[in-house]
Amino acid sequence: MKAPILEENKCSILIAEYATGHVFKTDLTIFSKGQNDKEVYQLFDNFYDAESFIFNLIKSKPEFECSIYNHKGEHLKTYDITGERKFTKND
């Protein structure tokens, strides 16, 4: 599953269960193989709106984690109840 390619400066987010990594659709129901990928990514006009949505979601539903992708489909950040998750690069 790849993040959508969007207009410049727009963002998308992917929601997953923090404990298991299971991906959830925009209506917060679990995504199953064979379902439409377009139901997975929530789209936002800018990074600020995406990040605000994530902070509010995680505050009210700490069982989730969220990843933000830029307009090119590149991963920007992942947040969970502990804050921003840092990843190491495998060179």
Side-chain angles (χ1 to χ4, degrees):
M1 177 176 351
K2 292 184 179 181
I5 304 302
L6 306 169
E7 293 177 28
E8 192 167 346
N9 297 320
K10 296 197 179 221
C11 294
S12 63
I13 66 162
L14 178 74
I15 301 170
E17 187 175 36
Y18 179 66
T20 66
H22 291 138
V23 174
F24 280 70
K25 297 186 289 188
T26 59
D27 65 0
L28 298 182
T29 60
I30 197 159
F31 175 78
S32 298
K33 185 177 179 180
Q35 291 181 318
N36 187 345
D37 286 1
K38 292 182 181 179
E39 296 179 7
V40 172
Y41 290 94
Q42 297 209 31
L43 308 180
F44 294 88
D45 287 333
N46 56 61
F47 181 85
Y48 174 79
D49 291 346
E51 196 174 51
S52 294
F53 174 86
I54 288 171
F55 293 152
N56 288 325
L57 176 68
I58 291 173
K59 184 177 179 182
S60 67
K61 298 188 181 300
E63 66 270 23
F64 290 111
E65 62 184 12
C66 301
S67 295
I68 302 177
Y69 297 86
N70 67 13
H71 66 281
K72 296 177 185 176
E74 299 167 331
H75 176 259
L76 298 177
K77 293 185 176 191
T78 296
Y79 293 99
D80 58 41
I81 192 61
T82 64
E84 182 182 352
R85 187 169 316 142
K86 300 292 185 183
F87 296 97
T88 59
K89 296 195 183 242
N90 295 330
D91 295 316

